[in-house]
Amino acid sequence: GLVIAAASWMGTGNRRDLLLAAASAGIMTATKETAVITLGVLTIAAMATFVLTGGVASLPHLTRRQWQLGLQAAFVFLLVNLAFYTSFFTNWQGSIDALRTFAFWTHTGTRDHTHAWNAYFEWLGALEFSLATLGLAGAAGALWTRDNRFAVFTGLWSMGTIAAYSLIPYKTPWLTLNMIVPLALESRGLL
């Protein structure tokens, strides 16, 4: 939802799309413990896409209206997070506990479910060989030609996600779902 709404906003500039992207990011961070990894990868992929496709030169200086839209999006993101983390404003301790989870997560992420760096390649190869092969080939092609900004973005997203999760010792097969979505979007160009 976040990627589609953000891509739509980039194409149309529609305020609704930006606020929907912010709400999607808020829901993601409130319901997905690895959201910080996903948001980091998406941010890096978006910035690299603009650099690789020459989009940086076309970025305008931010106007007052754009700053206001950014603040509105930040407000929606925070409101959604607060709503979920405080059990819809009935447990304010939940917002503090949400921040404390990072200490717990970083501790368990280095000792529980640890696997070799290439575990995701093995799991994707065993469970999603065609999708992984087509997705990575599509990513390589998109990065080679750089003629489709969204394809470049999804290529960077898929490769960045695999790289980020491969670097972390904590690995579980269900986290491959984070890789399958961008790989599936990327593979569509090869079918």
Side-chain angles (χ1 to χ4, degrees):
L2 168 61
V3 170
I4 298 303
S8 181
W9 174 71
M10 293 294 292
T12 66
N14 188 323
R15 176 179 174 262
R16 180 200 65 211
D17 293 332
L18 177 62
L19 297 181
L20 183 57
S24 295
I27 291 169
M28 185 172 70
T29 58
T31 60
K32 185 177 183 302
E33 71 177 343
T34 58
V36 67
I37 296 169
T38 302
L39 290 176
V41 169
L42 290 174
T43 300
I44 292 168
M47 292 188 305
T49 297
F50 275 103
V51 170
L52 292 172
T53 61
V56 174
S58 66
L59 288 177
H61 293 290
L62 293 177
T63 65
R64 181 180 175 158
R65 182 179 184 284
Q66 289 167 325
W67 278 106
Q68 290 172 339
L69 286 174
L71 290 173
Q72 289 173 13
F75 176 76
V76 167
F77 173 81
L78 291 173
L79 183 66
V80 168
N81 267 280
L82 278 175
F84 277 92
Y85 281 122
T86 62
S87 300
F88 292 91
F89 312 107
T90 62
N91 174 22
W92 289 99
Q93 181 65 34
S95 60
I96 296 166
D97 292 341
L99 297 174
R100 289 184 182 152
T101 62
F102 287 110
F104 177 76
W105 187 66
T106 56
H107 178 67
T108 60
T110 58
R111 64 177 172 84
D112 295 343
H113 300 286
T114 58
H115 293 277
W117 71 271
N118 62 337
Y120 289 114
F121 290 100
E122 291 177 7
W123 292 332
L124 286 170
L127 301 172
E128 296 287 350
F129 180 78
S130 297
L131 179 67
T133 302
L134 289 172
L136 290 173
L143 290 169
W144 180 264
T145 62
R146 298 181 194 171
D147 60 354
N148 179 320
R149 191 172 281 166
F150 190 72
V152 169
F153 170 77
T154 56
L156 292 169
W157 175 19
S158 61
M159 290 190 301
T161 301
I162 293 170
Y165 281 101
S166 293
L167 290 172
I168 299 167
Y170 178 92
K171 293 175 179 60
T172 57
W174 55 85
L175 287 175
T176 59
L177 292 172
N178 294 293
M179 300 157 205
I180 289 171
V181 171
L183 286 170
L185 289 171
E186 197 60 50
S187 68
R188 73 179 175 20
L190 296 176
L191 299 177

